[in-house]
Amino acid sequence: MSDPTGEMRTLAKKLLESGDVDTIIGWEKGSLWYQSPPVFITRAEDADRLVFDDFAINSLVTYLLDERDSDKKIGVFVKGCDSRGLVRILQDQQFPRERVYVIGLPCSGKKDPKQAQNKSAQDSGQVPLAVKCQECIYPNPVISDVTIGDAVEAKPAIEDRFATVKEIEAKTADEKYALWSSEYSKCLRCFACRNVCPACNCRYCTFDNCRPRILEKENTTMQNFVYHLTRAFHVAGRCVECGECERVCPVGVSIMDLNKKIIKEIDTIFGPYEAGVKLDDTPPPLGTYKTEDPEEFM
């Protein structure tokens, strides 16, 4: 059985000492046992800080965007879901492929740090998998320059990945409005979901504009509707279903339900499509226009 943490440290030291990369982005052990936050290693002697344990859940690929205008070469560790986000960033031409060294890590799922804080979980020693990991069908990286560790057998796709969406679709208009009003009234508009999303990679976000102002400053349910609906349509056809948006939400807004609704509609109209699975020149369904595209909405 392989030792991913040991292999990570050895490889990171080698890459930094040789100058093949300027920075390594990985995970380190936090101050609490259920925390393994991101770490940025620039010196070979610091490579021993790297870990890959049950709580290395954060996706690291969006940090590449902070270096898109530099000339640094970055080494980044990616799990299966993270690698799909990286493909999205590369396809959007937000970071050059030649400046990223991709280190793949097969992953059988990560524990939920929030659940680890519950006394019952601590007493039993049983921390459940994070929600985002429970439906994952891409445990192995879809792109990498080198892969560390043993490949993980992919779980079969769940019988109906859109079951929750269909439950919402079956509701009346008033019930849907009540549901989404309840969800979006919780939103703090902290933008954590936007900041962590690999498909939200615009250099300048429309929500940060002062003129014209798309989003008012007051935090109201209606303004939160504007925010969430706009963001959902922005990532339409490009969402890699990594679930990071929901994971980082401090108040538990059900963000992925709307994303999955849009994915379901795109699959129905344009045919099955999974974003971020293949790095090629094929644009996402809404990334190009053909004269034979469906126009029933017009």
Side-chain angles (χ1 to χ4, degrees), residues 4-290:
T5 293
E7 292 182 51
M8 288 170 68
R9 294 172 177 178
T10 299
L11 178 59
K13 286 179 183 178
K14 178 181 177 181
L15 292 172
L16 289 166
E17 287 174 345
S18 65
D20 289 336
V21 301
D22 300 291
T23 302
I24 291 282
I25 307 176
W27 305 270
E28 67 176 343
K29 204 60 213 163
S31 56
L32 298 172
W33 63 274
Y34 53 81
Q35 293 179 337
S36 298
V39 63
F40 303 84
I41 305 293
T42 57
R43 303 185 307 168
E45 55 265 37
D46 292 330
D48 286 340
R49 293 167 60 184
L50 292 166
V51 299
F52 189 63
D53 62 5
D54 286 342
F55 296 100
I57 193 171
N58 299 61
S59 174
L60 309 174
V61 298
T62 52
Y63 293 111
L64 293 172
L65 301 175
D66 296 332
E67 296 289 348
R68 62 181 133 195
D69 292 326
S70 76
D71 57 0
K72 294 180 180 178
K73 184 161 185 179
I74 312 295
V76 62
F77 291 98
V78 298
K79 306 183 293 293
C81 55
D82 310 335
S83 69
R84 292 180 64 186
L86 175 60
V87 168
R88 180 72 270 146
I89 288 172
L90 296 175
Q91 286 181 324
D92 288 341
Q93 300 181 36
Q94 294 299 314
F95 201 86
R97 177 66 180 92
E98 63 272 14
R99 280 186 46 224
V100 57
Y101 189 84
V102 188
I103 310 163
L105 286 161
C107 172
S108 56
K110 295 302 172 186
K111 302 292 182 65
D112 189 336
K114 293 180 181 177
Q115 292 294 327
Q117 299 175 52
N118 295 337
K119 189 176 185 304
S120 59
Q122 294 177 11
D123 291 343
S124 66
Q126 299 295 318
V127 181
L129 285 180
V131 172
K132 61 174 277 182
C133 300
Q134 294 174 12
E135 298 181 3
C136 177
I137 59 173
Y138 287 96
N140 302 299
V142 300
I143 179 177
S144 67
D145 292 306
V146 63
T147 299
I148 289 175
D150 303 318
V152 174
E153 184 177 354
K155 295 181 294 186
I158 61 174
E159 187 173 341
D160 188 353
R161 61 191 285 231
F162 298 118
T164 302
V165 173
K166 291 175 181 177
E167 289 178 10
I168 297 174
E169 289 174 336
K171 295 179 181 293
T172 66
D174 287 342
E175 288 172 336
K176 291 175 185 175
Y177 181 76
L179 169 67
W180 292 113
S181 294
S182 175
E183 285 297 316
Y184 294 153
S185 66
K186 298 185 294 186
C187 179
L188 305 176
R189 204 110 50 77
C190 64
F191 295 145
C193 56
R194 176 198 68 175
N195 296 344
V196 79
C197 177
C200 268
N201 52 43
C202 296
R203 286 178 176 272
Y204 305 102
C205 178
T206 187
F207 295 130
D208 294 333
N209 287 342
C210 292
R211 296 179 184 176
R213 183 177 292 282
I214 305 299
L215 197 63
E216 296 300 328
K217 291 184 176 181
E218 68 267 26
N219 192 321
T220 65
T221 300
M222 287 300 99
Q223 285 296 299
N224 291 344
F225 263 102
V226 173
Y227 169 67
H228 285 281
L229 290 173
T230 302
R231 207 185 80 80
F233 279 106
H234 170 64
V235 302
R238 300 166 56 248
C239 171
V240 298
E241 301 180 72
C242 65
E244 280 288 272
C245 53
E246 266 193 18
R247 183 187 69 81
V248 302
C249 179
V251 292
V253 176
S254 297
I255 301 171
M256 283 302 298
D257 285 343
L258 182 55
N259 289 347
K260 287 186 177 181
K261 164 64 175 174
I262 294 177
I263 291 169
K264 176 176 176 287
E265 294 304 312
I266 288 176
D267 283 1
T268 300
I269 297 171
F270 297 99
Y273 176 77
E274 291 182 287
V277 173
K278 295 181 180 179
L279 181 60
D280 54 26
D281 296 327
T282 304
L286 301 181
T288 187
Y289 169 75
K290 297 178 182 178

